[in-house]
Amino acid sequence: MATDRATVLVTGQLPSSALALLGDVDVRTVDGTTNRQAFLEAARGVDAMMTFVTDTVDAALLDAAGPALKIVANVAVGFDNIDVSATRPHGIVVTNTPDVLNGAVAELTWGLIFAIARRIGESDRLVRRGDWHGWAFDFMTGMELAGKTLGIIGKGRIGRDVARRAAAFDMRVVFGGREAGGEVDGHPVFAIDDVLAMADVVSLHVPGRPDTRHLIDARALDLMKPTAYLINTARGIVVDEAALVEALRTRRIAGAGLDVFEREPVVHPGLIGLDNVVLLPHIGSATVETRTAMAELAARNVAAVLAGRPPVTPV
Ligand code: DGY
């Protein structure tokens, strides 16, 4: 029997607390990432979609959904998986989940900084291999963070949360922006090239967009100190992975900590064999608290739009 209830397409498992916020709706679930045909079919006639960064939301999907679709609520702060320009002619609202994940991503960023500067991944592998033959004075020495300079590329909320935590480790913070000058939370802003040249740790916090693609290329890596580390918890396309492999292989820079990759889940084969890089499977926001908060915020966006109210966090 037909009902007046709205249908919400959900592309994966979401916490029950988030689903409860949707109210009296029919929830349809599909794996939007691995079976494109099933995604297109499941989209037909839905009023709302809750999607992940791994789901491609493009004109073909919007066409398949049809005119009932009112909102695509990405369960992520990034929305590079969504062709926002294709949603505009249909008046479809696109929302993301800003702020609720700042702390989790900032914490993981620091995890990568420690892991690479103090050679934690490399040491762990060595112990597991049975290659530890006892304490030695010059064994596994890394870089101390206190007194060093942390360069944050991007002046957004996640980068600022990373910067705030730097005081605990006695690091000086500088921000890098398209335009130099001014301050962010009391820290000076320099041109990106200058930050690359002066920082001991460079951490990337810019969105993945055509204008940030390969922001860190061979030229940018060449500006960095040979003792410096590059951290990327933003988006894979911001770094030219082939150039990074070369810079790490030749020790042009000291190391890198990466949570994101150009062709996820494929990792550049040149990175796999290198000891001076820490590789994580895109887990920046992956805490139970944060993932729950992200899903709940996305659900609140859906509920608002379906009720004819403005979305909470439109992109
Ligand atoms: C985001 O939110 O954009 C993360 O990359 C996925 O959680």
Side-chain angles (χ1 to χ4, degrees):
M1 199 175 68
T3 69
D4 289 340
R5 271 202 301 272
T7 301
V8 180
L9 181 65
V10 172
T11 62
Q13 206 63 42
L14 289 177
S16 53
S17 60
L19 295 176
L21 291 170
L22 293 174
D24 189 20
V25 298
D26 289 325
V27 174
R28 192 183 291 172
T29 307
V30 69
D31 173 353
T33 307
T34 55
N35 189 340
R36 178 72 181 169
Q37 195 49 39
F39 193 14
L40 291 171
E41 278 162 26
R44 192 163 307 138
V46 300
D47 299 272
M49 286 184 200
M50 295 176 72
T51 51
F52 299 114
V53 287
T54 45
D55 302 324
T56 302
V57 179
D58 56 10
L61 183 77
L62 301 176
D63 280 350
L69 183 63
K70 293 165 200 63
I71 172 168
V72 177
N74 221 30
V75 190
V77 66
F79 48 92
D80 43 319
N81 58 308
I82 300 175
D83 182 350
V84 177
S85 63
T87 65
R88 297 299 189 215
H90 305 283
I92 297 165
V93 174
V94 178
T95 62
N96 66 343
T97 59
D99 289 329
V100 291
L101 45 59
N102 298 353
V105 179
E107 287 180 5
L108 192 87
T109 301
W110 279 100
L112 279 172
I113 294 172
F114 285 119
I116 191 62
R118 296 303 303 272
R119 306 173 67 173
I120 292 174
E122 188 185 350
S123 296
D124 179 82
R125 286 191 294 278
L126 174 136
V127 172
R128 288 172 197 273
R129 277 199 313 269
D131 281 346
W132 183 35
H133 305 299
W135 189 92
F137 181 70
D138 57 354
F139 179 56
M140 282 290 171
T141 50
M143 184 187 82
E144 193 139 339
L145 297 177
K148 301 294 193 310
T149 298
L150 170 63
I152 308 245
I153 308 292
K155 297 184 282 184
R157 292 166 285 218
I158 295 177
R160 288 167 57 187
D161 257 30
V162 173
R164 210 153 45 80
R165 288 158 170 78
F169 308 114
D170 292 331
M171 290 189 82
R172 167 186 180 235
V173 176
V174 295
F175 277 85
R178 295 272 185 208
E179 286 177 15
E183 290 187 342
V184 172
D185 299 337
H187 306 293
V189 180
F190 295 101
I192 291 174
D193 281 3
D194 294 335
V195 170
L196 292 170
M198 74 176 86
D200 300 290
V201 177
V202 173
S203 193
L204 304 175
H205 300 284
V206 292
R209 287 192 312 227
D211 62 328
T212 58
R213 182 172 183 276
H214 289 188
L215 181 71
I216 304 300
D217 55 7
R219 189 199 71 87
L221 290 162
D222 232 34
L223 294 173
M224 289 175 63
K225 297 181 187 178
T227 49
Y229 299 98
L230 177 73
I231 307 294
N232 190 6
T233 54
R235 279 294 182 267
I237 64 158
V238 179
V239 176
D240 177 346
E241 242 163 50
L244 178 62
V245 167
E246 202 46 25
L248 292 170
R249 201 183 57 75
T250 58
R251 301 270 164 176
R252 180 57 205 79
I253 66 169
L258 308 174
D259 183 44
V260 287
F261 301 88
E262 273 198 86
R263 282 169 287 277
E264 294 178 12
V266 176
V267 175
H268 192 297
L271 291 170
I272 301 288
L274 293 175
D275 256 333
N276 56 342
V277 61
V278 176
L279 307 170
L280 299 183
H282 201 151
I283 55 169
S285 65
T287 66
V288 173
E289 296 86 342
T290 288
R291 286 284 162 87
T292 303
M294 290 164 71
E296 290 177 357
L297 178 53
R300 273 197 288 275
N301 275 309
V302 170
V305 170
L306 291 183
R309 296 192 307 271
V312 190
T313 49
V315 306

